[in-house]
Amino acid sequence: MDERIRKWLSMSRDELDDIYLAADAGTIPSGESRGTAIVAGSSRAQSFAKFARMFAWQGKVFDLFPPTHERGILINKVTPFSMTFIVAKVYKDKSWMDDKETIVIDYSSTSFFAQKIRDEIREIEEGIYLGKVWFGKKRILDFALNSNE
């Protein structure tokens, strides 16, 4: 796991929010990215992240639509076998946190099971993204993506 992302696992939700709010949207990832679930502020965040990666969610695969690379789709890698499942639309729009531009991962019209989920990500460093997961209008989780691995 990337050392920057490992550090996020020990941060509070407010600290992660400060990092997210200070960042620009950045570029939409392309190709495979490795995911890390973050239960902010939990003393067991590292254990949860390892468990989630082993048994539930390993990351996302982004497929952008040339030539603009401003929109696309993604598929989540899930299960211990990294099966691709749960499709979403990807585009830039306003964040629900601060109305600044962010990268939106929108499941509302692509997945029956995840239709109430909305992810937002911002590029913190090249290829390293911090994300927020919304269920309806309620924030439920943070996550990291590393498209450099």
Side-chain angles (χ1 to χ4, degrees):
M1 176 184 310
D2 183 276
E3 193 55 41
R4 296 161 288 200
I5 294 172
R6 185 182 317 278
K7 194 164 105 176
W8 291 349
L9 291 171
S10 64
M11 291 184 174
S12 71
R13 188 177 216 189
D14 289 341
E15 290 171 315
L16 290 172
D17 287 351
D18 288 344
I19 293 169
Y20 179 86
L21 294 170
D24 294 325
T27 58
I28 296 176
S30 181
E32 297 223 10
S33 64
R34 184 176 174 123
T36 302
I38 302 172
V39 180
S42 171
S43 61
R44 295 190 176 150
Q46 208 148 34
S47 297
F48 179 80
K50 286 178 186 176
F51 180 84
R53 176 153 315 127
M54 288 176 68
F55 298 107
W57 177 71
Q58 290 78 43
K60 300 176 185 292
V61 180
F62 291 82
D63 185 15
L64 304 180
F65 299 137
T68 64
H69 299 290
E70 293 178 6
R71 299 183 88 61
I73 61 169
L74 71 74
I75 302 173
N76 284 277
K77 295 185 296 184
V78 296
T79 77
F81 308 106
S82 292
M83 297 175 62
T84 52
F85 185 62
I86 310 176
V87 176
K89 293 180 181 179
V90 181
Y91 52 87
K92 289 186 177 180
D93 201 354
K94 289 182 179 182
S95 170
W96 286 355
M97 287 188 68
D98 63 2
D99 283 333
K100 289 179 14 186
E101 185 176 66
T102 196
I103 300 165
V104 174
I105 301 170
D106 179 358
Y107 300 91
S108 65
S109 64
T110 58
S111 172
F112 174 77
F113 297 107
Q115 66 184 329
K116 292 186 182 231
I117 301 290
R118 170 188 164 114
D119 296 341
E120 296 184 1
I121 60 173
R122 287 190 176 151
E123 191 172 25
I124 308 306
E125 296 178 30
E126 186 175 337
I128 305 291
Y129 297 81
L130 179 59
K132 308 294 178 181
V133 180
W134 301 82
F135 183 80
K137 290 282 191 171
K138 180 177 174 58
R139 283 244 327 274
I140 59 171
L141 196 64
D142 292 277
F143 68 97
L145 293 174
N146 185 345
S147 64
N148 297 326
E149 290 187 354

